[in-house]
C-alpha cells in the first residue's frame, strides 16, 4: 500500500508529540537527580513549569531544524503558537505565584 508524502508528514506530527511528551517526562525526572532519598520525591509545580520552559524552545528548534518532515503550514503555525504563548506568559511581569509567596508587585 502506497502512502502519499502528505500521509507521511502526518505520521511525523504524531511522532513529534510522542517525543516531546517523553522529553517532558525525562526532563521533569532529571530535575530530581539531586534528591538524597526517594522519600524526598514530591510533586513540585515549579518543576512542571521549568520543564515546560525547556520543552517550549525545543519544540521550536525541532520544527525549524526538521521542517522538511513537517509539511503542513497550518499545523506548524498551531504548534509554534503553543510554545510561543507559554514563553510569553512565563516572561510576563505578573506571572502566577505560589499561594504562600510574598505579595506580587503587579497592579490588580
Amino acid at each position: 500500500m502506497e502512502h502519499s508524502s502528505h500521509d507521511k508528514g502526518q505520521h511525523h506530527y504524531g511522532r513529534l508529540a510522542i517525543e516531546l511528551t517523553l522529553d517532558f517526562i525525562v526532563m521533569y525526572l532529571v530535575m530530581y537527580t539531586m534528591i538524597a532519598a526517594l522519600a524526598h520525591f514530591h510533586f513540585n509545580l515549579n518543576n512542571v513549569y521549568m520543564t515546560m520552559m525547556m520543552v517550549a524552545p525545543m519544540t521550536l528548534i525541532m520544527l525549524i531544524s526538521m521542517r522538511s518532515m513537517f509539511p503542513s503550514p497550518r499545523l506548524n503555525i498551531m504548534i509554534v503558537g503553543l510554545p510561543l504563548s507559554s514563553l510569553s506568559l512565563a516572561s510576563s511581569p505578573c506571572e502566577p505565584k505560589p499561594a504562600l509567596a510574598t505579595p506580587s508587585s503587579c497592579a490588580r
Side-chain angles (χ1 to χ4, degrees):
M1 183 166 143
E2 289 290 319
H3 294 287
S4 70
S5 62
H6 181 70
D7 291 339
K8 289 182 181 178
Q10 298 304 319
H11 174 72
H12 291 299
Y13 287 106
R15 291 185 61 121
L16 176 68
I18 292 168
E19 183 175 344
L20 290 172
T21 301
L22 292 173
D23 290 342
F24 181 92
I25 293 166
V26 168
M27 283 189 262
Y28 180 79
L29 294 174
V30 165
M31 284 195 254
Y32 287 99
T33 58
M34 298 299 290
I35 61 174
L38 192 57
H40 296 155
F41 182 90
H42 299 288
F43 176 77
N44 186 332
L45 195 55
N46 288 331
N47 285 0
V48 172
Y49 169 80
M50 288 306 299
T51 304
M52 288 173 53
M53 293 303 101
M54 289 185 279
V55 171
M58 190 167 60
T59 303
L60 298 173
I61 291 168
M62 290 171 74
L63 277 175
I64 292 168
S65 66
M66 297 181 282
R67 66 183 161 267
S68 64
M69 293 173 60
F70 306 106
S72 171
R74 176 183 235 164
L75 275 175
N76 292 347
I77 290 170
M78 289 174 23
I79 293 170
V80 165
L82 291 170
L84 286 180
S85 63
S86 66
L87 288 171
S88 67
L89 287 173
S91 63
S92 75
C94 296
E95 62 191 54
K97 305 286 187 230
L100 300 176
T102 57
S104 174
S105 61
C106 297
R108 305 248 179 220

